[in-house]
């Protein structure tokens, strides 16, 4: 039996090079050795206010991007989260077992709620986000979850909830583990290289979007913030340079040592020019493949409908087991 993996990205904004290098690009690798379940987690996206038209478009765009990145709907279960009602049902049940104290300690909640305008209220969905993430993972009895460091606290909570439920009602859930990707790296904002490149950041000048035009990508990389040391080193005193080196290394499949050797005699202008080249070499073909998938909406619909059907087949037995253990009449 292959181990099962679950992961997802929220369509809360246009996907960035950070989402790609930290997650999406690595996902196809798992298809051969694992039983993989990948979702466009639109229920998570509405924890922050969304424009319905944009959310709809982005959900389909992301589906096309997942496939363009190499996720094969025949080898993986690829689906849209809101089409599988079991996620919200299990989320409620887990929310009844999660404690206010542990949820309020989540750093992502603190961070995202602090970004909400002071005159606006904080939606309780933002607070409950980790219980939905726990439901996503536990429904499929996933054993591995590829996550960035930023999500490890949520994964820990998922494990706690699974254990708490198992202890109270008998073994129900597998306890998932994080899969911290050795090929990934945290990608930082090009204008503010100590802040993570995030799709919902206000200032778009430091963010490279996967579907962005060539000219605009080149301009953003050329204007990325470096420093006045003028030397290419890989250290935390030069976060802008370090970030560019990481991007270059990942996209050219070189180690950091080899990358440093490559730029030994070169300056920041050459570094930026070469980063532009590797970014465009990767993104332009990805964009082309994505457009091809988007140009066939009938096929796209067949893919997500079939994906949701396959996801339900796995999710329903877990949810039924949970309901049965809780005493619900089935
Ligand atoms: N800058 C990044 N570098 C590396 N990995 C990243 N990820 C996100 N940004 C970077 C990884 O992408 C996956 C999906 O993330 P998500 O959409 O579920 O939410 P997120 O982590 O909160 O990503 P964003 O882009 O910052 O979204 P918003 O702005 O909506 O909050 C995860 O595996 C994450 O590690």
């Amino acid at each position: 039996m292959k181990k099962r993996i679950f992961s997802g990205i929220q369509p809360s904004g246009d996907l960035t090079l950070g989402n790609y290098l930290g997650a999406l690009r690595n996902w196809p690798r798992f298809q051969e050795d694992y039983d993989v379940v990948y979702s466009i987690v639109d229920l998570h996206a509405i924890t922050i206010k969304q424009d319905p038209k944009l959310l709809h478009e982005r959900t389909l765009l992301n589906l096309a991007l997942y496939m363009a990145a190499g996720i094969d709907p025949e080898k993986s279960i690829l689906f849209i989260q809101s089409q599988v009602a079991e996620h919200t049902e299990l989320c409620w049940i887990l929310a009844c077992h999660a404690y206010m104290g542990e949820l309020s300690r989540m750093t992502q909640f603190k961070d995202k709620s602090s970004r909400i305008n002071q005159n606006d209220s904080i939606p309780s969905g933002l607070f409950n986000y980790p219980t939905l993430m726990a439901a996503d993972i536990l429904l499929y009895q996933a054993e591995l979850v590829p996550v960035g460091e930023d999500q490890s606290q949520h994964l820990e909570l998922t494990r706690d909830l699974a254990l708490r439920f198992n202890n109270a009602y008998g073994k129900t859930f597998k306890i998932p583990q994080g899969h911290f990707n050795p090929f990934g790296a945290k990608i930082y904002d090009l204008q503010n290289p100590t802040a993570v490149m995030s799709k919902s950041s206000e200032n778009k000048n430091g963010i490279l979007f996967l579907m962005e035009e060539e000219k605009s990508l080149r301009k953003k990389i050329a204007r990325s913030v470096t420093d006045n040391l003028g030397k290419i080193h890989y250290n935390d005193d030069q976060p802008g340079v370090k970030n560019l080196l990481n991007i270059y290394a990942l996209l050219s499949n070189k180690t950091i040592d080899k990358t440093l050797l490559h730029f030994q005699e070169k300056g920041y202008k050459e570094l930026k020019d070469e980063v532009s080249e590797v970014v465009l070499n990767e993104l332009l073909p990805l964009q082309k493949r994505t457009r091809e998938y988007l140009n066939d909406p009938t096929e796209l619909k067949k893919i997500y409908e079939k994906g949701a059907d396959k996801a339900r087949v796995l999710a329903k037995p877990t949810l039924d087991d949970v309901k049965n253990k809780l005493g619900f009449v089935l």
Side-chain angles (χ1 to χ4, degrees), residues 83-102:
Q83 297 191 342
V84 180
E86 282 81 354
H87 287 255
T88 33
E89 281 192 67
L90 184 60
C91 174
W92 171 251
I93 293 169
L94 293 177
C96 292
H97 293 79
Y99 306 137
M100 300 287 284
E102 60 192 355

Side-chain angles (χ1 to χ4, degrees), residues 9-10 12 18-19 22 112 148 150 185 187 196-200:
I9 303 180
Q10 2 169 22
S12 46
N19 296 128
K112 290 201 172 173
D150 52 330
I187 305 302
V196 174
M197 185 182 283
S198 200
K199 57 177 124 65
S200 53

Side-chain angles (χ1 to χ4, degrees), residues 177-228:
Q177 304 219 328
H179 184 285
F180 299 93
N181 182 6
F183 307 104
K186 215 177 207 179
I187 305 302
Y188 291 86
D189 189 300
L190 300 187
Q191 285 301 313
N192 179 10
T194 51
V196 174
M197 185 182 283
S198 200
K199 57 177 124 65
S200 53
S201 294
E202 295 248 313
N203 183 355
K204 308 293 178 207
N205 294 331
I207 304 172
L208 302 175
F209 294 104
L210 296 184
M211 295 303 285
E212 193 161 349
E213 281 184 13
E214 176 175 346
K215 209 169 133 197
S216 166
L217 288 166
R218 280 192 195 278
K219 200 155 108 187
K220 285 181 178 176
I221 296 169
R223 291 184 182 169
S224 60
V225 167
T226 47
D227 50 64
N228 51 20

Side-chain angles (χ1 to χ4, degrees), residues 36-222:
V36 298
V37 185
Y38 292 135
S39 182
I40 291 121
V41 287
D42 53 348
L43 294 168
H44 282 278
I46 63 161
T47 52
I48 295 283
K49 200 165 187 292
Q50 298 295 327
D51 172 331
K53 187 170 173 286
L54 270 181
L55 180 67
H56 189 103
E57 283 169 10
R58 276 188 190 128
T59 302
L60 296 175
L61 171 64
N62 289 6
L63 179 74
L65 267 166
Y66 280 28
M67 290 191 288
I71 293 159
D72 177 348
E74 294 300 322
K75 290 185 187 161
S76 302
I77 295 184
L78 177 57
F79 74 103
I80 299 169
Q81 185 191 28
S82 62
Q83 297 191 342
V84 180
E86 282 81 354
H87 287 255
T88 33
E89 281 192 67
L90 184 60
C91 174
W92 171 251
I93 293 169
L94 293 177
C96 292
H97 293 79
Y99 306 137
M100 300 287 284
E102 60 192 355
L103 289 173
S104 51
R105 282 195 291 276
M106 295 293 120
T107 49
Q108 193 183 73
F109 169 69
K110 289 190 218 165
D111 176 41
K112 290 201 172 173
S113 53
S114 71
R115 283 195 243 152
I116 290 178
N117 192 316
Q118 291 222 318
N119 299 324
D120 292 335
S121 302
I122 297 167
S124 61
L126 197 58
F127 185 69
N128 266 314
Y129 178 109
T131 57
L132 180 58
M133 180 167 153
D136 299 338
I137 297 165
L138 300 179
L139 257 186
Y140 298 97
Q141 305 288 354
E143 286 158 284
L144 284 179
V145 187
V147 281
E149 281 161 54
D150 52 330
Q151 293 290 344
S152 56
Q153 203 187 17
H154 289 165
L155 184 65
E156 211 38 58
L157 183 80
T158 301
R159 291 162 54 86
D160 289 347
L161 286 174
L163 281 169
R164 192 173 301 157
F165 197 94
N166 286 353
N167 287 338
Y169 304 98
K171 180 142 182 15
T172 310
F173 299 119
K174 282 200 175 145
I175 311 299
Q177 304 219 328
H179 184 285
F180 299 93
N181 182 6
F183 307 104
K186 215 177 207 179
I187 305 302
Y188 291 86
D189 189 300
L190 300 187
Q191 285 301 313
N192 179 10
T194 51
V196 174
M197 185 182 283
S198 200
K199 57 177 124 65
S200 53
S201 294
E202 295 248 313
N203 183 355
K204 308 293 178 207
N205 294 331
I207 304 172
L208 302 175
F209 294 104
L210 296 184
M211 295 303 285
E212 193 161 349
E213 281 184 13
E214 176 175 346
K215 209 169 133 197
S216 166
L217 288 166
R218 280 192 195 278
K219 200 155 108 187
K220 285 181 178 176
I221 296 169

